[in-house]
Amino acid sequence: MPFVVTDSCIACKYTDCVSVCPMDCFVEGPNFLAIDPDGCIDCSMCVPECPVGAIYNETDLPEGLRHFTELNAKLAKHPGWKPITQAQAPMPDHAQWREVEGKIDMLKTSI
């Protein structure tokens, strides 16, 4: 089962996880990262690197976050979303959004 990025990443976009991914399966959008399920080998190396706990194994997703499995798969194929393989600075206002829950309405899918 692949790993999935959830709403804790929205408006923060920490990229520590990207640096340790042996398969380069992260894709980047305007304010969120997603994992391409076709590339994920279920290694879990990204999980401890996420400072906001946004990454889950698909089988461990809390009920209220299960829709992120389909969303990650969809965004991984989005033409405007590109692979990201190196860490970069988080979003400018990341600190104010770090502890906020339920940010799905803030997700930007187009640049």
Side-chain angles (χ1 to χ4, degrees):
M1 291 289 154
F3 281 77
V4 177
V5 181
T6 61
D7 69 341
S8 294
C9 182
I10 298 171
C12 293
K13 203 165 78 171
Y14 295 102
T15 57
D16 308 66
C17 53
V18 170
S19 298
V20 299
C21 181
M23 301 305 292
D24 294 335
C25 61
F26 282 88
V27 294
E28 175 184 28
N31 69 344
F32 184 66
L33 298 176
I35 294 175
D36 183 347
D38 294 336
C40 183
I41 59 170
D42 198 26
C43 71
S44 78
M45 291 177 65
C46 57
V47 176
E49 298 302 316
C50 181
V52 293
I55 305 172
Y56 290 83
N57 184 299
E58 181 182 15
T59 59
D60 297 330
L61 276 168
E63 186 64 36
L65 299 176
R66 294 193 187 244
H67 59 282
F68 277 95
T69 298
E70 183 178 331
L71 183 61
N72 273 242
K74 178 182 170 186
L75 294 174
K77 305 300 183 218
H78 190 287
W81 288 52
K82 302 297 178 200
I84 178 172
T85 59
Q86 295 183 1
Q88 56 192 17
M91 301 204 63
D93 296 333
H94 66 94
Q96 81 179 50
W97 297 109
R98 185 180 177 120
E99 303 295 324
V100 176
E101 295 182 14
K103 299 183 281 185
I104 189 69
D105 292 339
M106 296 175 59
L107 178 63
K108 296 177 184 175
T109 56
S110 297
I111 297 174

